[in-house]
């Protein structure tokens, strides 16, 4: 049994660094930027509730499956899938699942980097006091000016992408680990400070009500799309479905418990999302803003708070800086699978592999840059009437929706099938190291059901199940 296979890329120094790195991948713009605006777009409590349910019944089991597959294969997802499939006497074409993930990661990073760029530019705005006593309108204008300037967006997008390339180029220990050790705990503390501030605005109770009241009326208006968005967010936020966590798992030492690590990662990730909601929505309500602001939500709300609070320019700059770091530690995981493959199969040095991939992603990112200005009214699917709201989406919205709501869950379906039907029971039990415990059995059942659940959500979303 090739249990002692080694990764050619090195290993995490300890299970803690793995947990930190995987949490670094999971916690990012998805929690603080994407979760609040999707919650608002999808009517609040019902979305939050379904999101939490998806994390528990699909997210955690698939997270464990990905880490387990990665550690068993010890290579890039493409080669891991192929090796494990051959070992199990199955079809080597399972490697295509690895390729599918590489493409998804590529597409996601292309826009992630642009939004990461917004975050960096907000460090400068807050640090230079641009928001002092600003009104909602004033803050709005600053955001609009930023996104309507392609040159500025491209500049920050380039800075962000360069940072991602640098860390990936340095490799597992020197690059990825160092970046996450200090940043994650600091971000968490900043969030607590912000939530503390928001409790004093007077609209905290309203926000709690908005986030945690399951409102059947909103849900029944368009159940398919709300459930799909919530499930997509669960995959996105936990970095599932494209091999990011799998490749991180391939650097995990053998003595670490995958089960405990997964619970820790999922808990931290969910907590950060909920805290972000608790920080943002009280401000939205206190200033009578429309929650449904779209992707600019946090950039139009939090600066108001920073403009009012004592020391706001310091706290604001810190917050956006830490958010940029959180985004950075996520971004690296989006290209790590592709980089690992280039190193393994094309014998490239890490720094070249990271640069080529980063540069290609940078070009793709231009589509997102222009989605906020010159191409904002370009709706590629407009001609297909029956797609309904799809016809109103610009390129950025389409890339985001395609990856999170379709590609990641689809990847999750196949990862689940692989873990249950391709790998032997002995192999999964051995790698998860949970014996024949109840936890192991529950895991098997949940992973077995996951493809069905995801499939049902898909069918709902396209209207087949009403
Ligand atoms: N989970 C990250 C976030 O919430 C984004 C991310 C990193 C990601 N790696 C991923 C999303 C892999 C999907 C797949 O910001």
């Amino acid at each position: 049994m090739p249990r002692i296979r080694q990764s050619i890329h090195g290993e995490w120094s300890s299970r803690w660094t793995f947990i930190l790195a995987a949490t670094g991948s999971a916690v990012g713009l998805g929690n603080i930027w994407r979760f609040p605006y999707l919650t608002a777009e999808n009517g609040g409590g019902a979305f939050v509730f379904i999101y939490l349910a998806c994390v528990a019944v699909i997210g955690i089991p698939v997270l464990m499956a990905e880490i387990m597959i990665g550690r068993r294969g010890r290579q890039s997802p493409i080669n891991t899938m192929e090796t494990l499939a051959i070992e199990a006497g199955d079809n080597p074409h399972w490697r295509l699942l690895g390729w599918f993930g590489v493409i998804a990661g590529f597409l996601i990073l292309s826009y992630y980097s642009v939004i990461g760029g917004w975050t960096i530019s907000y460090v400068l705005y807050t640090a230079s006091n641009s928001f002092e006593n600003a009104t909602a309108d004033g803050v709005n204008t600053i955001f609009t000016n930023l996104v309507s300037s392609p040159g500025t967006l491209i500049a920050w997008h380039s800075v962000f992408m360069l940072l991602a390339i640098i860390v990936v180029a340095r490799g597992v220990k020197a690059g990825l680990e160092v970046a996450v050790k200090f940043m994650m705990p600091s971000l968490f503390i900043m969030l607590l400070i912000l939530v503390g501030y928001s409790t004093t605005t007077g609209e905290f109770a309203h926000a709690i009500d908005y986030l945690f009241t399951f409102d059947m009326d909103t849900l029944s208006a368009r159940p398919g799309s709300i459930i799909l968005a919530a499930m997509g967010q669960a995959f996105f936020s936990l970095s599932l479905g494209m091999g990011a966590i799998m490749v991180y798992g391939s650097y995990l030492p053998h003595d670490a418990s995958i089960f405990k690590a997964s619970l820790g990662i999922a808990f931290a990730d969910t907590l950060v999302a909920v805290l972000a909601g608790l920080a943002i929505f009280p401000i939205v309500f206190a200033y009578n803003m429309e929650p449904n602001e779209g992707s600019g939500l946090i950039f139009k709300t939090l600066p108001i708070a920073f403009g009012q609070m004592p020391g706001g320019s310091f706290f604001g700059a810190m917050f956006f800086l830490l958010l940029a770091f959180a985004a950075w530690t996520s971004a690296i995981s989006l290209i790590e699978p592709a980089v690992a493959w280039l190193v393994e199969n094309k014998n490239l040095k890490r720094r070249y592999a990271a640069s080529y991939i980063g540069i290609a992603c940078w070009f793709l990112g231009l589509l997102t840059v222009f989605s906020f200005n010159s191409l904002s009214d370009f709706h590629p699917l407009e001609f297909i009437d029956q797609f309904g709201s799809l016809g109103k989406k610009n390129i950025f919205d389409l890339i985001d929706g395609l990856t999170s709501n379709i590609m990641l869950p689809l990847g999750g379906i196949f990862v689940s099938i692989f873990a249950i039907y391709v790998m032997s029971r002995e192999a999964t039990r051995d790698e998860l190291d949970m014996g024949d415990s109840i936890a192991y059995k529950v895991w098997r059942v949940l992973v077995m059901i996951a493809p069905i659940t995801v499939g049902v959500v898909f069918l709902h979303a396209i209207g087949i199940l009403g």
Side-chain angles (χ1 to χ4, degrees):
M1 261 305 182
R3 245 211 91 160
I4 31 169
R5 198 180 279 135
Q6 297 289 332
S7 166
I8 62 164
H9 310 280
E11 262 193 14
W12 304 111
S13 318
S14 72
R15 82 188 88 143
W16 285 111
T17 31
F18 165 76
I19 293 182
L20 226 42
T23 310
S25 164
V27 175
L29 295 170
N31 309 60
I32 293 172
W33 160 74
R34 198 171 187 272
F35 172 74
Y37 92 81
L38 283 190
T39 300
E41 238 164 41
N42 292 291
F47 173 86
V48 175
F49 184 82
I50 299 167
Y51 160 73
L52 295 175
C54 288
V55 168
V57 298
I58 308 174
I60 295 173
V62 173
L63 179 60
M64 290 173 64
E66 270 204 37
I67 300 174
M68 174 206 63
I69 295 172
R71 187 165 74 178
R72 194 90 186 156
R74 291 249 176 241
Q75 301 155 72
S76 66
I78 298 171
N79 290 328
T80 284
M81 301 302 298
E82 177 174 304
T83 310
L84 295 186
I86 294 173
E87 247 168 47
D90 212 300
N91 195 323
H93 286 319
W94 272 101
R95 85 172 80 81
L96 294 177
L97 180 52
W99 278 110
F100 181 78
V102 163
I103 296 168
F106 216 72
L107 288 168
I108 295 175
L109 184 60
S110 79
Y111 76 78
Y112 205 86
S113 169
V114 176
I115 314 291
W118 296 1
T119 312
I120 305 180
S121 66
Y122 267 65
V123 175
L124 302 184
Y125 290 149
T126 38
S128 63
N129 249 336
S130 310
F131 298 114
E132 202 169 71
N133 295 322
T135 57
D137 280 345
V139 172
N140 204 350
T141 309
I142 292 182
F143 179 76
T144 313
N145 285 345
L146 171 68
V147 297
S148 48
S149 155
T152 316
L153 293 184
I154 292 175
W156 291 118
H157 165 49
S158 313
V159 170
F160 188 89
M161 194 63 88
L162 189 68
L163 290 172
I165 293 175
I166 292 174
V167 176
V168 178
R170 293 170 62 97
V172 173
K173 281 200 180 142
L176 309 189
E177 279 195 17
V178 175
V180 287
K181 249 188 200 147
F182 297 102
M183 302 306 158
M184 303 314 300
S186 323
L187 176 70
F188 188 74
I189 292 169
M190 268 316 294
L191 262 182
L192 287 181
I193 295 178
L194 272 179
V195 173
Y197 174 81
S198 286
T199 53
T200 65
T201 64
E203 294 297 331
F204 198 69
H206 187 172
I208 298 258
D209 184 50
Y210 181 76
L211 285 171
F212 301 112
T213 308
F214 191 95
D215 170 10
M216 202 56 208
D217 293 342
T218 345
L219 182 62
S220 49
R222 46 185 188 93
S225 63
I226 292 180
I227 298 173
L228 182 68
M231 181 179 75
Q233 174 62 13
F235 274 91
F236 186 89
S237 195
L238 290 171
S239 303
L240 295 178
M242 53 72 62
I245 289 294
M246 194 183 290
V247 81
Y248 275 22
S250 75
Y251 311 142
L252 178 64
H254 267 299
D255 58 358
S257 155
I258 292 178
F259 178 53
K260 286 188 200 146
S262 302
L263 288 184
I265 296 162
F267 177 75
D269 185 64
T270 309
L271 186 64
V272 171
V274 170
L275 287 179
L278 290 177
I280 289 162
F281 286 104
I283 301 172
V284 171
F285 298 128
Y287 289 87
N288 290 320
M289 300 172 73
E290 183 45 55
N292 197 354
E293 281 285 336
S295 55
L297 183 66
I298 66 158
F299 298 97
K300 296 177 184 174
T301 50
L302 293 181
I304 301 181
F306 295 131
Q308 306 279 336
M309 65 169 85
S313 68
F314 172 76
F315 284 122
M318 280 300 284
F319 174 80
F320 284 111
L321 186 66
L322 292 167
L323 181 56
F325 271 111
W328 191 14
T329 57
S330 299
I332 54 187
S333 72
L334 285 162
I335 46 173
E336 179 63 21
V339 171
W341 182 80
L342 283 176
V343 172
E344 286 162 12
N345 288 46
K346 301 291 161 199
N347 227 341
L348 280 185
K349 289 217 165 53
R350 274 191 88 85
R351 56 175 180 278
Y352 293 114
S355 308
Y356 297 151
I357 306 269
I359 291 168
C361 264
W362 181 89
F363 277 104
L364 199 59
L366 297 180
L367 288 174
T368 294
V369 165
F370 295 119
S371 297
F372 290 96
N373 35 70
S374 42
L375 294 179
S376 62
D377 292 325
F378 175 50
H379 307 134
L381 298 183
E382 199 163 38
F383 62 98
I384 319 179
D385 285 348
Q386 66 266 41
F387 281 179
S389 67
L390 269 189
K392 298 193 198 66
K393 291 185 188 285
N394 63 30
I395 305 177
F396 156 70
D397 293 325
L398 288 174
I399 298 181
D400 176 54
L402 169 73
T403 48
S404 292
N405 297 350
I406 301 173
M407 295 184 79
L408 300 179
L410 211 53
I413 291 186
F414 286 104
V415 163
S416 305
I417 293 176
F418 191 87
I420 298 294
Y421 301 103
V422 175
M423 291 178 76
S424 70
R425 205 184 168 109
E426 291 67 47
T428 56
R429 206 174 32 205
D430 175 39
E431 199 62 49
L432 287 174
D433 205 13
M434 297 157 75
D436 244 334
S437 60
I438 309 252
Y440 176 73
K441 290 186 180 127
V442 172
W443 173 79
R444 267 193 92 82
V445 172
L446 289 176
V447 176
M448 238 178 241
I449 301 175
I452 304 171
T453 324
V454 175
V456 169
V457 174
F458 278 161
L459 293 178
H460 255 295
I462 54 178
I464 290 184
L465 295 179

